[in-house]
């Protein structure tokens, strides 16, 4: 008798267990004429090679705006940071690079049909999204590194005041091949394939002007919708803790102006207004060691309850810890990660940053250990008062035993493109045009 035969008692018992485990929604599905984990729109069971379905593929963000998208924009499930060396040899080629980036990003974010060419010629598109490119919630954020302001393009006079080459902190083991760059592109979308499609499009259209230096992909695990009256929960990182619980409110425009965006009239070059400093770190997690660490020690190191994400003196994730009532670190250790990162004093309010991290998994190292961790990305109006100050406070923290930063860089996210007559990076070029021709 076959186990899949409904007359088999084993089948009946198994079916009862499945129904009991599915809950009310599962029972309703199982009671229909067809049951299974995935049903096609036709009501038939899906085939093994059928593509997963989504109603999110036509989500899109506006390309034009005072600020670039992908910074305070809600973080989707798939992220990727790619750093490039710029191959342009003069300002004319640099402008061609920026104008081409502008055109391609505008199309990729909006989506649309791909122009067909003579089959004897290479196609204009990789085709991995099909003949019609779907926007799929894509954002592409363009930032520039300190090395772009060398002697090649005579941009030194317009260099953002606090933009420097990333230097190592005491616990770093930075790999040169995974650090720095003239230009970075941050890709964010609903699916990893959309990011890869966009990267390949840009590489195809700029082969003589851009060379990939390093790339890191990442993801964010989707969460179940919040229950009525409850705040949305932050996603978990590969240490199993919620990441971003104390992030500033990205919908608070006043807060974002203070924390994220360079303001007009500041000591930064005038063209940099409405841009932001981007700090990127590839942080490997020693997950095998972490998984052998007692729960109470994990929570003590982080400063939060692992299951709920609540601070040690709270009940819910987004509660604000009150360190004034715990001056000696009886509940939250004085060297706990969250307490060092944000001591919550009047003086350290100027050190706030906006985090936009993704988990990454790069396979297995030669020693058989899992190569996974955090693609840390954050934005701030002042790199020195933001990430650098926070990381300096974290130097020597107990968490360092379980992680090792291996790559990344500092960049400046360019201001947004305000209209069809504008293009990404135009302000930077114009700010140095008089200097160049004087």
């Amino acid at each position: 008798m076959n186990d899949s035969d409904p007359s088999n008692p084993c089948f009946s018992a198994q079916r009862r267990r499945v129904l009991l485990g599915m809950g009310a929604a599962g029972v309703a599905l199982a009671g229909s004429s067809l049951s299974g984990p995935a049903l096609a729109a036709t009501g038939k069971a899906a085939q093994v090679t059928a593509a997963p379905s989504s109603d999110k593929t036509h989500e899109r963000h506006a390309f034009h705006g005072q600020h670039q998208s992908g910074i305070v924009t809600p973080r989707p499930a798939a992220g990727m940071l790619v750093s490039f060396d710029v191959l342009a040899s003069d300002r004319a080629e640099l402008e061609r690079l920026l104008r081409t980036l502008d055109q391609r990003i505008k199309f990729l974010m909006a989506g649309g049909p791909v122009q067909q060419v003579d089959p004897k010629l290479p196609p204009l598109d990789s085709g991995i999204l099909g003949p019609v490119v779907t926007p799929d919630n894509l954002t592409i954020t363009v930032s520039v590194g300190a090395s772009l302001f060398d002697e090649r393009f005579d941009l030194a006079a317009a260099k953002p005041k606090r933009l420097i080459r990333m230097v190592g902190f005491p616990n770093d083991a930075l790999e040169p091949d995974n650090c720095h760059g003239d230009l970075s592109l941050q890709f964010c979308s609903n699916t990893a394939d959309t990011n890869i499609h966009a990267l390949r499009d840009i590489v195809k259209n700029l082969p003589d002007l851009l060379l990939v230096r390093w790339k890191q992909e990442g993801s964010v695990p989707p969460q179940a919708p919040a229950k009525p009256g409850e705040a949305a929960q932050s996603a978990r990182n590969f240490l199993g803790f919620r990441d971003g619980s104390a992030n500033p409110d990205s919908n608070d425009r006043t807060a974002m102006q203070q924390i994220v965006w360079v303001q007009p009239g500041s000591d930064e070059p005038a063209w940099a207004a409405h841009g932001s400093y981007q700090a990127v770190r590839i942080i490997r997690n020693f997950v095998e060691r972490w998984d052998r660490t007692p729960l109470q020690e994990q929570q003590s190191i982080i400063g939060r309850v692992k299951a709920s994400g609540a601070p040690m003196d709270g009940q819910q994730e987004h509660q604000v810890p009150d360190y004034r009532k715990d001056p000696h670190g009886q509940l939250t250790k004085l060297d706990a990660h969250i307490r060092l990162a944000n001591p919550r004093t009047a003086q350290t309010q100027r050190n706030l940053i906006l985090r936009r991290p993704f988990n990454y998994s790069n396979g297995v190292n030669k020693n058989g250990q899992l190569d996974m961790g955090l693609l840390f990305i954050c934005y701030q109006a002042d790199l020195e008062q933001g990430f650098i100050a926070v990381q300096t406070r974290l130097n020597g923290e107990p968490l360092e035993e379980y992680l090792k930063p291996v790559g990344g860089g500092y960049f400046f996210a360019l201001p947004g493109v305000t209209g069809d007559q504008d293009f990404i990076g135009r302000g930077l070029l114009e700010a140095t045009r008089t200097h160049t021709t004087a």
Side-chain angles (χ1 to χ4, degrees):
M1 183 177 292
N2 193 303
D3 287 346
S4 63
D5 186 347
S7 64
N8 187 342
C10 294
F11 174 86
S12 299
Q14 182 182 14
R15 186 171 186 273
R16 286 195 296 272
R17 287 195 297 271
V18 171
L19 292 178
L20 289 172
M22 291 173 69
V27 171
L29 175 61
S32 65
S33 58
L34 290 172
S35 63
L39 298 179
T42 60
K44 296 181 179 180
Q47 295 296 314
V48 65
T49 55
S53 60
S54 171
D55 60 356
K56 306 294 185 182
T57 58
H58 290 285
E59 291 181 337
R60 61 169 52 88
H61 291 283
F63 173 73
H64 292 132
Q66 190 176 62
H67 310 293
Q68 286 195 76
S69 56
I71 299 177
V72 299
T73 309
R75 181 184 53 168
M80 179 169 63
L81 199 292
V82 185
S83 173
F84 297 85
D85 292 329
V86 170
L87 304 180
S89 59
D90 55 33
R91 286 176 63 93
E93 288 191 345
L94 179 61
E95 181 168 341
R96 177 164 66 88
L97 161 62
L98 294 172
R99 286 184 178 275
T100 303
L101 271 180
D102 184 89
Q103 295 168 1
R104 298 316 304 161
I105 293 173
K106 187 185 303 183
F107 168 74
L108 293 165
M109 287 180 57
V114 176
Q115 181 182 353
Q116 300 303 307
V117 297
D118 188 326
K120 296 178 182 179
L121 300 174
L124 298 180
D125 186 84
S126 65
I128 65 175
L129 298 185
V132 178
V133 173
T134 50
D136 201 30
N137 210 18
L138 175 69
T139 62
I140 304 176
T141 308
V142 183
S143 305
V144 294
S147 55
L148 191 73
F149 295 85
D150 60 17
E151 68 282 353
R152 289 174 293 172
F153 311 115
D154 203 15
L155 299 176
K159 181 180 177 181
K161 186 174 181 180
R162 294 163 182 83
L163 183 59
I164 61 173
R165 180 182 173 91
M166 185 180 70
V167 296
F169 290 90
N171 189 48
D172 290 0
L174 300 178
E175 301 166 354
D177 290 344
N178 289 321
C179 294
H180 317 304
D182 294 330
L183 182 144
S184 78
L185 295 180
Q186 175 197 267
F187 299 81
C188 300
S189 71
N190 293 331
T191 56
D193 280 15
T194 295
N195 292 338
I196 290 295
H197 171 267
L199 171 61
R200 287 174 60 178
D201 181 282
I202 288 170
V203 168
K204 177 180 175 62
N205 281 279
L206 290 166
D208 59 329
L209 297 178
L210 282 180
L211 177 67
V212 174
R213 182 179 179 87
W214 55 267
K215 173 177 76 72
Q216 182 59 63
E217 297 181 55
S219 62
V220 181
Q223 303 295 297
K227 297 178 181 179
E230 293 185 1
Q233 296 177 329
S234 302
R236 295 184 186 272
N237 57 32
F238 279 155
L239 298 181
F241 281 78
R242 297 198 178 278
D243 198 318
S245 303
N247 222 24
D249 182 357
S250 59
N251 292 314
D252 185 336
R253 296 185 63 181
T254 299
M256 293 301 96
Q257 288 176 352
Q258 295 171 347
I259 298 169
V260 174
W261 306 120
V262 170
Q263 294 299 300
S266 71
D267 62 351
E268 293 286 357
W271 74 266
H274 312 303
S276 184
Y277 285 93
Q278 178 194 66
V280 182
R281 303 271 281 175
I282 303 173
I283 306 173
R284 186 184 168 201
N285 296 159
F286 301 134
V287 294
E288 292 92 348
R289 183 185 304 171
W290 182 255
D291 290 343
R292 293 191 295 267
T293 301
L295 175 60
Q296 63 182 11
E297 185 175 348
Q298 291 185 7
Q299 295 183 154
S300 176
I301 289 171
I302 299 296
R304 291 188 178 274
V305 179
K306 191 170 187 177
S308 66
M312 303 305 289
D313 60 349
Q315 301 297 320
Q316 299 175 355
E317 177 190 356
H318 298 290
Q319 284 182 270
V320 178
D322 189 350
Y323 299 141
R324 295 171 301 176
K325 295 181 179 179
D326 186 26
H328 304 296
Q330 296 299 311
L331 286 175
T332 307
K333 301 293 185 182
L334 298 180
D335 58 2
H337 180 77
I338 70 166
R339 191 161 188 165
L340 290 175
N342 185 359
R344 298 186 181 278
T345 67
Q347 294 78 14
T348 57
Q349 284 297 105
R350 62 182 178 175
N351 305 137
L352 296 179
I353 59 178
L354 185 71
R355 297 167 57 93
R356 193 182 175 86
F358 296 87
N359 298 331
Y360 79 81
S361 181
N362 288 345
V364 182
N365 286 340
K366 292 181 179 179
N367 61 6
Q369 292 184 326
L370 299 174
D371 183 0
M372 56 176 53
L374 191 70
L375 171 58
F376 175 91
I377 305 171
C378 73
Y379 293 91
Q380 56 265 285
D382 187 321
L383 183 61
E384 295 173 358
Q385 293 295 331
F387 172 78
I388 294 176
V390 172
Q391 182 56 51
T392 299
R393 282 200 300 268
L394 291 171
N395 286 340
E397 64 168 328
L399 185 60
E400 286 187 346
E401 182 182 349
Y402 301 93
L403 53 83
K404 185 67 66 174
V406 296
Y410 298 152
F411 303 90
F412 187 81
L414 299 172
V417 178
T418 57
D420 289 333
Q421 302 306 311
D422 194 9
F423 64 91
I424 193 74
R426 179 187 59 82
L428 169 59
L429 293 179
E430 289 191 352
T432 54
R433 200 178 304 279
T434 301
H435 178 266
T436 302
T437 58

